[in-house]
Amino acid sequence: MAYGVGLVPWYDGRNGMYSWIWRHLPGNGWVRALISLVLITVVVYVLFQYVFPWAEPLLPFNDVTVDNQ
């Protein structure tokens, strides 16, 4: 048995998506952290500029059930 495998119940021998991304980024730890911050910034920008405005008309936020009396 590998070290730590039996200590956490959700660990099944795989490291997960974020460790895969971290291992495949070039450079040392500081360069990887900088690239990660740039990637996160790009993802947030794309979400706010393109995805959320596209999805906003499809969401029922303007459908209110309060009557004007």
Side-chain angles (χ1 to χ4, degrees), residues 10-17 19 23:
W10 60 87
Y11 186 77
D12 60 357
R14 296 178 295 165
N15 290 329
M17 176 180 65
S19 63
R23 282 193 317 270

Side-chain angles (χ1 to χ4, degrees), residues 3-43:
Y3 176 75
V5 172
L7 298 178
V8 288
W10 60 87
Y11 186 77
D12 60 357
R14 296 178 295 165
N15 290 329
M17 176 180 65
Y18 298 111
S19 63
W20 182 88
I21 293 171
W22 185 260
R23 282 193 317 270
H24 288 82
L25 289 175
N28 61 12
W30 289 105
V31 173
R32 290 177 180 181
L34 181 63
I35 293 172
S36 298
L37 288 174
V38 169
L39 289 173
I40 291 169
T41 303
V42 167
V43 168

Side-chain angles (χ1 to χ4, degrees), residues 29-65:
W30 289 105
V31 173
R32 290 177 180 181
L34 181 63
I35 293 172
S36 298
L37 288 174
V38 169
L39 289 173
I40 291 169
T41 303
V42 167
V43 168
V44 169
Y45 175 80
V46 168
L47 284 173
F48 276 97
Q49 292 297 316
Y50 300 105
V51 176
F52 295 155
W54 168 81
E56 192 269 331
L58 305 174
L59 300 174
F61 293 135
N62 291 330
D63 296 340
V64 295
T65 58

